[in-house]
Amino acid sequence: MQLNYDLAVAVATELAATENDPLCAYVYDLDGLRTHIQQLVASLPPQCQLFYAAKANAETPVLQVLADHVHGFEVASGGELHWLREHFAEVPLIFGGPGKLESELRAAIDAQVELIHVESRLELERLARLADEAGRPVDILLRINLTLAELPSTTLTMGGRPTPFGLDESELEGILAWLPTQPNLRLQGFHFHLLSHQLDAAAHLRLLQGYCRQVKRWCNDYGLESRHVNVGGGIGINYVEPDNQFNWPVFSQGLATLIEQEQMQDWTIRFEFGRYVTAACGYYVMEVLDLKRNLGQWFAVARGGTHHFRTPAAQSHSHPFHVVSRSQAESRTGGAGNPPAVLEREPVTIVGQLCTPKDVLAQQVPLDRVAVGDWLVFPYAGAYAWNISHHDFLRHPRPRCGYFDGGRVVVAP
Ligand SMILES: Cc1ncc(COP(=O)(O)O)c(C=O)c1O
């Protein structure tokens, strides 16, 4: 998805017009998101389905855009399940994630989710009992933690090594022998999500090939009829080199070849992408409050911080940003009694308003010019950003929020 800083600034300008204090805000480009999701879905081979992992960003306006285009939503908690059902009564839901409560499993059965992704043997047995109590068959996928010979490495792996996610493959035989004794559990296939932050299209295709071959082997070895594999999410955003993003055209074309080579034309291959769908539609805007030099390094203290936008701290990266010049201030050199309002050609660390040295959004970034009053616009803030942040720390107010939708700026109250 193309970034559009002009649009982010246009929305921020409207928000600032109704703000007495320096601005901090989230801006979402819903028009861009609409085009992006349409293109993603349209470029997938017909055997593939795209579900959206709501954990990436479950703001209603974002979900509303996606609901018209995706095949369904993946939820990973009772909270997400209720939220999604409340807003989208008809959209297909699948329910995954570790540590599901009995109350959540019951709610999922009542909400008639399409599939429950089972993470452990105990969960499977609980679900069998709850399905019996409900007197209703429940369709399931077994999530398996695979060790593949060629597991690509990324900065976030959920499998291929000891993790709490999915069943150990060694349990499969016992489970497959036990399942036919359970009248209300219907095995529909398998689920994998071994990693996130994948930036290499060819490596991701190799991973999917590994999943597909393994599933076909199980179907063959155990005489299973299922023709459904959920290959998880995991496509990343290159925050460090923003010009070098995952090559979607190579991936989607490669998928078609993979399906043909593996003779999986009669299979359903389902994705549950999060980050790659929504990251690029969101921007976090911070206004520079102060410029200061401390033990030899320059800092720009800006309105807001990692309690709104934890992504850089969570990923331990320097988040890219764009400086929007708004100040007419003259360049001053600084020094005692003469603090600078403008810095030119200096490396600057961008921090927020929190009383912790961890409140850093970008480290020692060489900037041509930055001034008090300028806006710092952080792109790729539409996934795992606001919703993973510790909002209540220090009880700073929430950021403002605005959208660009249908060619118009919409300001959230
Ligand atoms: C089971 C599962 N599916 C899908 C996702 C979405 O992953 P991503 O946002 O990397 O596409 C996650 C993320 O943690 C996950 O755990």
Side-chain angles (χ1 to χ4, degrees):
M1 174 175 166
Q2 288 297 315
L3 296 180
N4 190 337
Y5 287 107
D6 289 344
L7 178 152
V9 172
V11 178
T13 303
E14 290 224 10
L15 289 168
T18 57
E19 179 69 48
N20 294 324
D21 283 316
L23 186 69
C24 70
Y26 268 95
V27 172
Y28 295 103
D29 173 8
L30 298 183
D31 286 351
L33 176 64
R34 199 170 284 111
T35 308
H36 179 52
I37 191 65
Q38 279 168 348
Q39 286 172 350
L40 292 185
V41 173
S43 59
L44 286 173
Q47 293 81 2
C48 297
Q49 295 186 347
L50 197 162
F51 274 55
Y52 172 63
K55 60 176 80 69
N57 182 337
E59 296 290 316
T60 351
V62 167
L63 295 174
Q64 270 159 350
V65 168
L66 296 176
D68 291 338
H69 303 286
V70 294
H71 293 86
F73 291 124
E74 185 252 2
V75 297
S77 72
E80 284 187 354
L81 176 67
H82 290 301
W83 180 250
L84 269 292
R85 259 296 162 262
E86 185 186 331
H87 291 92
F88 306 95
E90 305 298 332
V91 178
L93 298 183
I94 52 180
F95 182 30
K100 298 181 194 74
L101 302 173
E102 289 203 5
S103 56
E104 294 176 317
L105 290 171
R106 245 183 245 113
I109 296 172
D110 288 349
Q112 304 196 3
V113 302
E114 191 194 304
L115 284 164
I116 297 180
H117 301 166
V118 176
E119 292 268 345
S120 77
R121 174 76 193 237
L122 199 52
E123 184 175 284
L124 190 63
E125 291 180 12
R126 281 192 193 118
L127 187 59
R129 177 168 46 78
L130 296 171
D132 287 345
E133 280 169 20
R136 184 181 298 161
V138 173
D139 290 318
I140 59 166
L141 299 185
L142 297 177
R143 179 175 180 180
I144 313 281
N145 182 2
L146 271 189
T147 42
L148 289 173
E150 244 203 293
L151 182 67
S153 82
T154 68
T155 52
L156 193 63
T157 50
M158 282 83 165
R161 60 184 177 84
T163 70
F165 307 113
L167 288 147
D168 191 300
E169 197 188 333
S170 64
E171 295 177 89
L172 188 57
E173 189 168 341
I175 287 175
L176 292 177
W178 174 81
L179 270 176
T181 67
Q182 300 304 310
N184 286 315
L185 289 185
R186 296 193 300 215
L187 178 66
Q188 299 296 349
F190 295 92
H191 173 250
F192 306 100
H193 177 79
L194 291 193
L195 48 84
S196 281
H197 293 302
Q198 176 62 269
L199 295 174
D200 180 339
H204 208 59
L205 286 166
R206 283 198 300 278
L207 178 70
L208 301 194
Q209 184 178 51
Y211 293 161
C212 291
R213 289 188 176 172
Q214 182 61 76
V215 169
K216 284 198 302 178
R217 226 173 287 138
W218 286 331
C219 288
N220 187 46
D221 292 353
Y222 298 110
L224 304 175
E225 301 276 291
S226 46
R227 292 287 176 270
H228 183 113
V229 56
N230 182 320
V231 294
I235 295 185
I237 290 290
N238 196 338
Y239 299 102
V240 179
E241 291 174 55
D243 293 336
N244 189 14
Q245 296 296 347
F246 184 88
N247 194 329
W248 179 268
V250 164
F251 178 67
S252 54
Q253 284 155 27
L255 258 181
T257 313
L258 175 76
I259 289 167
E260 213 178 292
Q261 276 172 355
E262 299 300 323
Q263 297 178 357
M264 294 185 73
Q265 289 86 345
D266 57 343
W267 282 69
T268 298
I269 299 174
R270 180 173 284 174
F271 294 94
E272 45 186 38
F273 291 132
R275 189 181 311 268
Y276 194 67
V277 174
T278 46
C281 80
Y283 302 81
Y284 181 57
V285 183
M286 305 174 87
E287 185 163 331
V288 178
L289 305 174
D290 200 356
L291 294 170
K292 54 193 283 190
R293 191 173 165 89
N294 202 315
L295 297 180
Q297 288 192 5
W298 282 104
F299 291 82
V301 184
R303 178 86 199 275
T306 53
H307 56 307
H308 295 163
F309 181 47
R310 201 169 76 87
T311 317
Q315 304 302 336
S316 306
H317 67 225
S318 233
H319 207 92
F321 64 93
H322 175 69
V323 180
V324 179
S325 180
R326 300 177 66 247
S327 157
Q328 304 307 315
E330 290 295 312
S331 186
R332 284 197 270 149
T333 51
N338 187 17
V342 180
L343 280 181
E344 282 171 344
R345 289 177 293 281
E346 291 283 359
V348 182
T349 293
I350 310 298
V351 300
Q353 297 173 283
L354 300 184
C355 319
T356 160
K358 297 191 173 169
D359 189 21
V360 175
L361 294 96
Q363 285 269 11
Q364 289 295 285
V365 182
L367 294 181
D368 285 344
R369 185 182 193 277
V370 63
V372 169
D374 283 354
W375 285 342
L376 309 176
V377 182
F378 292 82
Y380 303 114
Y384 306 105
W386 166 247
N387 63 337
I388 64 156
S389 305
H390 45 302
H391 311 146
D392 289 336
F393 184 40
L394 290 194
R395 302 199 68 80
H396 281 296
R398 309 241 148 164
R400 300 292 307 278
C401 185
Y403 303 90
F404 194 75
D405 192 10
R408 286 186 313 117
V409 174
V410 181
V411 171

